[in-house]
Amino acid sequence: MFSLRHFKNSIFGSGLTLEALQAQLESVSVPYTDIDCRSCPNPCDEGHEPYPNKFNVDTESTMFGSVKPYHRQIVISTGKMDWDREITSTKNSLAAHVQHVMHTAPISAPPLATEPKNKRSIHVSGVFNCSDSNKISILNGSHHTISDNPEYETVLVFPDFKMVTEVPRSLDGAKALWDAALEPSVSTLPPVNEKSNFSSWIIPYSCVILLCSHKRRDNRCHIAAAQLGQAFAHTLEEHGWTVDTEIEHPLHTMGPPLEELQGTDEENEEHITKQFQELASEKRALILRNSHTGGHRYAGNCIIYTPRGSGVWYGRVSTHEVESIVSQTLEEGLILPPLLRGGLNISRPGCKSLNDW
């Protein structure tokens, strides 16, 4: 059996043992489990599709800490599973326009007061909060826009766990998106009684699983994403989850957009928190392919976002680890240390699970 017990005396690159990694996670209150990452025997007898023989992954360097802090990450609708090598160089794309705005707009410091529970006196590379950076990470996604106008994109914003619709694929559209949802000082909720050309909703799922499939950057990601997408869908359905690969229009499940909320700031915040809590227990997953996130040498790469605001980055994932990711990380809210590249808002002092409120 391929298990964590076999890692006990092994090296995670550059001298980082499993015990040392676990100690680092404990020092910043990251909930984790020490159960087996792989639930099947080695060699596998449960029908999990293996990667090709020439699928070489970096198993020598230290993977933990390979994710750099960011404040927000966006995933832009394209309806594709592969993109130009540099998505921000694609002419007239929203990714290119957002990159331009990001480099020219004045950036204010992210609000510190929104995360008092997650403030840490100890810092561990790879474990960070929104307030640790004002960087915006830009990804393309495989989802199609839900707008009736194909020139308007649907943008997922993490860790806010919201989607912004009706975003024009233009420089003006990128500027408006920046001001409304991306600038580091902006909160998840749009300002009350302020006109907006956008409609935004909480993403109507219990989790979003992003699988890097960027073939023009590295074919390993393309291969891994196809296999992992099938494995996640199959395993989640076995666990009683509903799985989508396209976004269901939130109007049918979430009601009016956030811009139409009529309460006070406190009332609207309470309403949104209740929506988040209800979504977390509904067992509805959205699986998307995404553009290059860095670290393709650690394919397969996946990022898991939840309504609670966590972003868990896993690497070296094969179909053999999917069962443990579903049962432990998605359902129990526990990190699997040997797969961890890093994470956003995964430090949870006083909590036993990433899913605790």
Side-chain angles (χ1 to χ4, degrees), residues 41-61:
N42 186 17
C44 176
D45 61 3
E46 297 184 10
H48 299 144
E49 184 179 5
Y51 290 140
N53 290 333
K54 293 185 179 180
F55 189 96
N56 297 318
V57 174
D58 176 0
T59 59
E60 300 299 323
S61 65

Side-chain angles (χ1 to χ4, degrees), residues 90-166:
T90 302
K91 190 175 181 181
N92 296 324
S93 68
L94 186 57
H97 292 313
V98 172
Q99 176 86 337
H100 175 79
V101 171
M102 205 167 65
H103 285 165
T104 57
I107 298 178
S108 59
L112 296 177
T114 59
E115 299 171 298
K117 287 187 177 181
N118 292 347
K119 290 299 291 177
R120 308 184 311 276
S121 58
I122 301 173
H123 289 270
V124 170
S125 178
V127 178
F128 52 92
N129 296 326
C130 295
S131 57
D132 293 334
S133 174
N134 58 20
K135 176 186 175 183
I136 307 298
S137 169
I138 305 170
L139 301 179
N140 280 342
S142 59
H143 59 297
H144 290 79
T145 182
I146 64 171
S147 174
D148 293 331
N149 186 337
E151 298 299 314
Y152 287 4
E153 304 290 12
T154 297
V155 181
L156 308 185
V157 183
F158 300 107
D160 304 57
F161 213 77
K162 75 175 181 180
M163 55 191 291
V164 183
T165 68
E166 310 300 328

Side-chain angles (χ1 to χ4, degrees), residues 8 23 39 67 76 111 156-157 187 193 201-202 241 253 276 306:
K8 289 293 184 181
S39 60
V67 180
I76 302 169
L156 308 185
V157 183
S187 66
N193 297 324
W201 283 271
I202 298 304
W241 288 62
T253 55
F276 281 143
T306 69

Side-chain angles (χ1 to χ4, degrees), residues 154-300:
T154 297
V155 181
L156 308 185
V157 183
F158 300 107
D160 304 57
F161 213 77
K162 75 175 181 180
M163 55 191 291
V164 183
T165 68
E166 310 300 328
V167 183
R169 196 184 305 130
S170 66
L171 186 58
D172 286 342
K175 289 178 179 177
L177 176 67
W178 177 266
D179 292 338
L182 303 187
E183 207 278 337
S185 66
V186 172
S187 66
T188 299
L189 283 169
V192 178
N193 297 324
E194 184 173 303
K195 280 192 173 183
S196 173
N197 293 325
F198 303 143
S199 293
S200 56
W201 283 271
I202 298 304
I203 298 172
Y205 293 92
S206 311
C207 71
V208 177
I209 302 172
L210 301 177
L211 302 173
C212 182
S213 65
H214 204 156
K215 185 176 182 179
R216 286 186 176 90
R217 291 300 296 255
D218 197 296
N219 192 46
R220 290 172 294 185
C221 292
H222 169 73
I223 294 169
Q227 295 189 13
L228 292 177
Q230 292 180 352
F232 270 111
H234 175 74
T235 303
L236 285 163
E237 287 169 354
E238 282 191 330
H239 281 248
W241 288 62
T242 299
V243 179
D244 288 342
T245 55
E246 287 288 351
I247 299 172
E248 179 183 348
H249 200 297
L251 185 61
H252 307 310
T253 55
M254 305 300 290
L258 300 178
E259 287 78 9
E260 295 182 16
L261 293 178
Q262 297 298 312
T264 64
D265 288 344
E266 292 77 13
E267 290 169 339
N268 292 341
E269 188 71 38
E270 184 177 342
H271 172 76
I272 294 304
T273 300
K274 183 179 179 182
Q275 284 191 325
F276 281 143
Q277 291 173 332
E278 291 173 348
L279 281 171
S281 62
E282 288 183 2
K283 301 185 80 168
R284 300 184 68 232
L286 176 66
I287 301 176
L288 300 178
R289 313 287 178 88
N290 62 271
S291 58
H292 180 63
T293 56
H296 46 252
R297 65 186 183 276
Y298 301 129

Side-chain angles (χ1 to χ4, degrees), residues 309-355:
S310 295
V312 179
W313 290 57
Y314 282 150
R316 298 175 182 149
V317 179
S318 73
T319 55
H320 307 297
E321 288 80 44
V322 169
E323 168 65 34
S324 291
I325 293 175
V326 170
S327 65
Q328 297 302 308
T329 302
L330 294 181
E331 297 188 336
E332 298 297 330
L334 299 174
I335 296 293
L336 295 163
L339 302 178
L340 187 63
R341 291 186 57 194
L344 171 66
N345 298 338
I346 62 174
S347 173
R348 294 294 169 80
C351 297
K352 296 181 178 180
S353 164
L354 294 177
N355 299 335

